[in-house]
Amino acid sequence: MIMTLLQVALGGAIGASVRYLTNVAVMRGIGPGLPYGTLIVNVAGSFLMGALVVLLAQKSGTRFAPFLMTGVLGGFTTFSAFSLDAFTLWERGQVALAGAYVAGSVVFSIIALVFGVMTMRGILA
């Protein structure tokens, strides 16, 4: 268990570093406005999650999942895990549940962020 945890931690550090560098590069290249860096990271992470889930399963590489999927991609973007969860529900034929999961995740996450901002502003005011 400790080795798996270390794999996740190392992968997370790598993924978070790549996310940061991507955001810096995009900000320098495009400038402020729409958060293109985050958009790029989310889309790329989702693509990589889809590719890895198939590759690791077909090549008997699931032992690398904690490092690559949970660690690297989890540190790079948790959106990739969200995308995989939504797709898995849809692929299982649970289309309504997948839609509810997507809508609920987006709506409740934004609501939670707003409440977090308001709470901290209230505390620090």
Side-chain angles (χ1 to χ4, degrees), residues 42-103:
N42 286 340
V43 172
S46 294
F47 172 82
L48 291 170
M49 181 68 83
L52 277 173
V53 75
V54 172
L55 179 68
L56 295 179
Q58 289 191 3
K59 299 295 182 181
S60 300
T62 55
R63 67 187 176 280
F64 299 111
F67 172 73
L68 292 172
M69 295 174 73
T70 305
V72 175
L73 288 180
F76 187 57
T77 171
T78 57
F79 200 81
S80 56
F82 161 76
S83 299
L84 178 61
D85 290 342
F87 177 73
T88 299
L89 289 169
W90 177 78
E91 193 171 47
R92 290 180 185 160
Q94 298 174 301
V95 177
L97 186 58
Y101 174 69
V102 168

